[in-house]
Amino acid sequence: MTAMPQSVAHFSNEMAASASFTTDEQRQHLTFTLGKETFAVGILAIKEILRYGAPTEVPMTHPCLVGVINLRGRVVPVIDLAVRLGREPVHVGRRTCIVIIEVTNCNDSGALEMGLVVDTVRAVVDIPTISVDPPPAFGVRLHPDYMIGVTRQDGLFVVILDLNRILAMEELAALTQSARTKKYE
């Protein structure tokens, strides 16, 4: 397991691509925590990791959208991943980070940058494909469609997330519309 540095980390696409696949059976993932749970996402989705800075709030949006940040002249939406997954909001502390990711937008051929607020970034780890089990039908407080699978790392249960499904624009738009409707009923 490779420990993440305390400072801001930056992943260029070339570095991520070269580091991502060491063999056909092993992939690198970034692990992080939300509350007491450990999650992982494929390293190719990660663009950079920032120290937490309060985003600018955007009115009348779904509660998981905590605001936007200016990232070198680009407006990047920031999502509290814990809220998006149906948990309590991230409690901002000294190790809280915003993980900048790139997800594929189903309606568009391009990709979308988003920030994810997480409690702590743990490490970049190799997760052999053979050690990933399919999402369990019960016992996990997460919709199976949001998971690629589950594994164990250093004695911890790790859920590997499918960011493209969790952050599907159609679903987030529907949640935002639902939140607006509830406010005015």
Side-chain angles (χ1 to χ4, degrees):
M1 178 163 73
T2 307
M4 288 297 300
Q6 293 290 342
S7 63
V8 176
H10 179 76
F11 296 94
S12 70
N13 288 338
E14 296 83 20
M15 183 168 56
S18 67
S20 181
F21 296 97
T22 54
T23 71
D24 287 341
E25 297 180 5
Q26 211 168 75
R27 293 186 58 181
Q28 288 193 329
H29 289 75
L30 177 72
T31 58
F32 57 88
T33 61
L34 295 172
K36 294 180 181 179
E37 297 172 281
T38 303
F39 296 92
V41 295
I43 198 87
L44 286 178
I46 310 299
K47 293 197 70 171
E48 59 188 293
I49 300 168
L50 308 172
R51 288 185 192 97
Y52 183 82
T56 302
E57 290 184 32
V58 178
M60 298 178 58
T61 59
H62 188 270
C64 73
L65 180 64
V66 293
V68 295
I69 60 171
N70 179 341
L71 185 61
R72 291 180 292 285
R74 296 183 316 275
V75 175
V76 177
V78 178
I79 298 209
D80 185 328
L81 188 57
V83 172
R84 178 66 184 105
L85 297 177
R87 286 144 173 82
E88 292 296 315
V90 168
H91 175 72
V92 177
R94 67 178 186 84
R95 297 191 62 184
T96 303
C97 295
I98 298 176
V99 179
I100 305 297
I101 57 139
E102 191 171 82
V103 292
T104 305
N105 187 344
C106 297
N107 291 338
D108 193 30
S109 60
L112 178 67
E113 268 187 340
M114 299 182 101
L116 303 176
V117 179
V118 299
D119 283 316
T120 60
V121 169
R122 294 181 51 85
V124 173
V125 297
D126 289 328
I127 300 177
T129 305
I130 197 159
S131 72
V132 177
D133 294 321
F138 62 91
V140 177
R141 300 182 313 144
L142 189 61
H143 194 285
D145 288 345
Y146 292 167
M147 295 185 281
I148 291 172
V150 295
T151 190
R152 292 189 62 83
Q153 283 282 317
D154 298 326
L156 296 172
F157 181 68
V158 179
V159 176
I160 303 169
L161 298 174
D162 185 338
L163 291 178
N164 286 326
R165 288 192 177 178
I166 292 170
L167 302 172
M169 294 301 105
E170 300 81 17
E171 190 170 342
L172 286 175
L175 288 171
T176 299
Q177 183 60 39
S178 172
R180 286 181 185 161
T181 305
K182 288 179 183 176
K183 287 180 181 179
Y184 296 108
E185 287 180 345

